[in-house]
């Protein structure tokens, strides 16, 4: 593909993660990817308290962005009741999707505790709002796949992989939608994630 066809192919698959990466890791520094992030054809990932504002700004701009609420971000260590309250707020404010961050420390000790957390929050999210789980790539390929397999069994719509530094890790094989968000700093990195199996990529601000 030439550069123009690359951009056309990416336009509906690249969105924007409206959070600042920990440590101020640069992201979306490539000018072409920065333009795609501005367009945010795949939607906008934000914290639950920002859903209503993101919707208003998007509607005013005439773009009607697909808004995804990131629950329990960034550690996943919030109590299930707090995550459920965040999910309820996000749904009431019009989120199109809700992604719950999981506590990977719990996952390494007791996957059932993670699944109980996921199930508790999923009960708040009714159709047509889609429900997903976000897992940090930093836990490593094997643990990432095991956790993706586990949450897949409870019927999530999306598995989202969070990356905190440039360079996309190997992505898990899933039977649902797969997304990547975080430190995606170039057109090549976005394309690599999509070619590796992701359906959507959401670069974050640095």
């Amino acid at each position: 593909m030439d550069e123009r066809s690359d951009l056309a192919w990416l336009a509906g698959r690249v969105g924007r993660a409206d959070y600042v990466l920990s440590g101020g890791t640069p992201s979306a520094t490539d000018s072409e990817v920065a333009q795609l992030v501005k367009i945010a054809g795949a939607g906008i990932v934000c914290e639950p308290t920002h859903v209503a504002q993101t919707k208003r700004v998007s509607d005013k701009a005439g773009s009607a962005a697909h808004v995804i609420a990131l629950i329990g971000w960034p550690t996943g260590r919030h109590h299930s009741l707090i995550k459920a309250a965040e999910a309820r707020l996000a749904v009431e404010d019009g989120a199109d999707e809700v992604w719950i961050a999981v506590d990977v420390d719990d996952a390494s000790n007791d996957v059932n505790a993670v699944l109980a957390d996921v199930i508790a929050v999923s009960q708040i999210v009714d159709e047509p709002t889609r429900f997903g789980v976000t897992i940090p790539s930093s836990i490593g390929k094997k643990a990432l796949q095991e956790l993706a397999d586990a949450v897949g069994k409870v019927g999530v719509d999306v598995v989202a992989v969070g990356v905190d530094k440039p360079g996309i890790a190997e992505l898990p094989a899933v039977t649902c939608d797969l997304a990547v968000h975080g430190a995606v700093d170039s057109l090549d990195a976005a394309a690599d994630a999509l070619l590796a199996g992701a359906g959507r990529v959401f670069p974050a601000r640095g």
Side-chain angles (χ1 to χ4, degrees), residues 23-177:
T25 306
S27 189
T29 53
D30 180 284
S31 60
E32 291 168 330
V33 125
Q35 182 60 33
L36 290 174
V37 165
K38 186 176 179 183
I39 296 167
I44 300 170
V45 178
C46 65
E47 294 185 54
T49 53
H50 297 165
V51 168
Q53 179 184 359
T54 301
K55 283 284 209 184
R56 279 196 302 272
V57 170
S58 170
D59 289 347
K60 189 176 285 188
S63 57
H66 187 86
V67 177
I68 301 158
L70 205 51
I71 303 301
W73 180 257
T75 64
R77 293 180 190 137
H78 300 53
H79 191 282
S80 293
L81 291 175
I82 294 175
K83 290 181 181 177
E86 288 184 335
R88 184 176 287 108
L89 172 66
V91 170
E92 289 175 354
D93 283 347
D96 299 287
E97 297 183 32
V98 169
W99 295 352
I100 176 177
V102 298
D103 183 348
V104 294
D105 289 337
D106 266 357
S108 63
N109 297 316
D110 184 4
V111 171
N112 288 331
V114 171
L115 295 182
D117 192 37
V118 169
I119 291 167
V121 178
S122 71
Q123 293 174 356
I124 304 298
V125 183
D126 295 322
E127 292 184 354
T129 309
R130 303 177 78 223
F131 181 67
V133 173
T134 180
I135 309 167
S137 63
S138 59
I139 66 172
K141 178 185 175 183
K142 183 174 182 290
L144 183 60
Q145 185 63 61
E146 288 174 352
L147 198 46
D149 289 342
V151 299
K153 291 175 183 174
V154 299
V156 300
D157 299 306
V158 183
V159 168
V161 177
V163 292
D164 59 6
K165 58 185 178 181
I168 302 298
E170 287 192 60
L171 301 179
V174 297
T175 56
C176 58
D177 287 348

